[in-house]
């Protein structure tokens, strides 16, 4: 029952039946979270990824965030990032953009988020990182010039959008010819075919598509104790945060574990 209910919620969101309301609600949720949680050690808001093979290298100070960083490592693994201009759309509190800037030697990383409070939080949390900037903006109407970036990253954000095809067209527009778009997000299993069409913007060629649901579940398990310790400090929001964060027993956790919800990683390359 929980998996079906979660699927129905995502059905409404992904189909964009109420796009203005949907974007308004998500923006306010993230504004609220940014106001309530000013913790300096909370830079990530994704569900994470644990690879099936050997662990990737991390500096000791980043080990606590390994499960969450994993989604970014898999997104960029094998790409030529050194010297590249990178845009992260839906950058949240900035942990992913910070990881890219610190580990991959890009020429510049820009993090864009729809929530102004979240952008302010990201700027504060990551002020010590060179070649990294954050700006407020709409994924469906990006405030950048054509061909401004070599790589566009979008992690666990697109399910909040009112118009995913418009987002994909904007990605294609701001990518330079030959540039890469690396994407990871979840959808109900019955919406995967629709996602193919939504992300299939002219000029974007699908190069790789993987189901990483079990890797995400492994990350949720790995982060459960730390997550519960933090949620336990806010009893009035415990139920909401347990569902929102994908804790064990939540609708999302059951959906991913049972296969009703699929978490996909994709890579597209711009023609030319």
């Amino acid at each position: 029952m929980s998996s079906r209910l979660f699927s129905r919620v995502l059905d409404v969101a992904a189909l964009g039946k109420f796009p203005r309301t949907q974007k308004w609600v998500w923006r306010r949720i993230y504004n609220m979270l940014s106001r309530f949680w000013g913790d300096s050690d909370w830079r990530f808001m994704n569900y994470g990824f644990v690879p099936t093979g050997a662990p990737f290298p991390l500096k000791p100070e980043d080990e606590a965030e390994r499960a969450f960083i994993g989604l970014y490592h898999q997104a960029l693994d094998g790409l030529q990032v050194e010297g590249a201009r990178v845009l992260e759309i839906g950058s949240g509190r900035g942990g992913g953009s910070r990881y890219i800037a610190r580990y991959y030697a890009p020429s510049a990383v820009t993090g864009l988020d729809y929530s102004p409070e979240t952008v302010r939080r990201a700027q504060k949390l990551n002020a010590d990182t060179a070649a990294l900037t954050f700006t407020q903006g709409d994924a469906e109407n990006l405030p950048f010039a054509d061909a401004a970036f070599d790589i566009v990253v979008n992690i666990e954000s697109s399910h909040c959008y009112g118009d995913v095809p418009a987002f994909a067209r904007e990605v294609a527009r701001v990518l330079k010819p030959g540039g890469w778009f690396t994407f990871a997000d979840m959808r109900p299993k019955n919406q995967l075919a629709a996602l193919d069409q939504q992300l299939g913007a002219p000029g974007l060629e699908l190069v790789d598509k993987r189901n990483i649901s079990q890797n995400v579940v492994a990350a949720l398990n790995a982060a459960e104790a730390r997550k519960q310790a933090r949620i336990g400090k806010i009893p009035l929001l415990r139920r909401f945060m347990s569902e929102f964060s994908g804790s064990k027993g939540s609708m999302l956790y059951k959906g991913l574990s049972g296969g009703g919800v699929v978490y996909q990683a994709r890579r597209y390359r711009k023609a030319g």
Side-chain angles (χ1 to χ4, degrees), residues 172-184:
R173 181 182 66 78
V174 302
L175 268 178
K176 76 169 191 178
W180 288 92
F181 169 39
T182 181
F183 167 94

Side-chain angles (χ1 to χ4, degrees), residues 14-15 158 163-170 172 181 183 187 189-206 209 264 266 268:
L15 290 172
S158 70
D163 190 342
V164 176
F167 155 68
R169 291 192 296 270
E170 282 292 274
F181 169 39
F183 167 94
R187 290 293 191 278
K189 187 175 181 179
N190 62 10
Q191 288 185 13
L192 294 179
L195 185 63
D196 289 335
Q197 297 178 344
Q198 291 168 349
L199 294 179
L204 291 181
E205 176 190 359
L206 179 62
K209 178 168 65 174
Q264 282 205 344
R266 297 181 175 208
Y268 295 81

Side-chain angles (χ1 to χ4, degrees), residues 94-241:
S97 291
R98 181 175 185 266
Y99 166 72
I100 296 168
R102 292 173 63 233
Y103 279 80
Y104 290 89
S107 64
V109 180
T110 300
L112 176 137
D113 201 271
Y114 191 51
S115 161
E117 289 288 343
T118 303
V119 170
R120 284 190 281 271
R121 183 63 61 190
Q123 290 169 335
K124 185 175 182 179
L125 290 175
N126 306 288
D128 62 343
T129 305
L132 174 60
T133 58
F134 295 96
T135 188
Q136 192 275 332
D138 189 340
E140 300 162 26
N141 186 21
L142 296 173
F144 306 113
D146 296 357
F149 298 97
D150 302 288
I151 299 172
V152 173
V153 180
N154 185 244
I155 302 293
E156 204 172 293
S157 178
S158 70
H159 61 274
C160 301
Y161 304 163
D163 190 342
V164 176
F167 155 68
R169 291 192 296 270
E170 282 292 274
V171 170
R173 181 182 66 78
V174 302
L175 268 178
K176 76 169 191 178
W180 288 92
F181 169 39
T182 181
F183 167 94
D185 207 352
M186 58 196 164
R187 290 293 191 278
K189 187 175 181 179
N190 62 10
Q191 288 185 13
L192 294 179
L195 185 63
D196 289 335
Q197 297 178 344
Q198 291 168 349
L199 294 179
L204 291 181
E205 176 190 359
L206 179 62
V207 176
D208 184 54
K209 178 168 65 174
R210 293 175 294 133
N211 181 341
I212 61 170
S213 298
Q214 294 312 304
N215 303 90
V216 174
V217 171
L220 290 172
N221 290 336
E224 179 70 11
R226 184 184 181 200
K227 191 182 304 178
Q228 288 302 326
R230 196 177 298 263
I231 291 173
K233 298 177 182 179
I234 43 155
L236 290 177
L237 292 176
R238 181 175 296 170
R239 179 174 295 181
F240 168 79
M241 287 304 299

Side-chain angles (χ1 to χ4, degrees), residues 55-67 69 103 226:
F56 55 91
L58 274 181
K59 299 173 183 178
E61 62 268 28
D62 296 322
E63 279 294 339
E65 309 289 352
R66 172 174 288 278
I69 290 172
Y103 279 80
R226 184 184 181 200

Side-chain angles (χ1 to χ4, degrees), residues 68-100:
F68 310 113
I69 290 172
L71 268 176
Y72 288 86
H73 179 265
Q74 67 81 30
L76 294 171
D77 191 30
L79 295 184
Q80 179 59 46
V81 186
E82 184 175 354
R85 300 161 297 169
V86 181
L87 169 65
E88 183 184 6
I89 302 174
S91 51
R93 297 169 70 94
S97 291
R98 181 175 185 266
Y99 166 72
I100 296 168

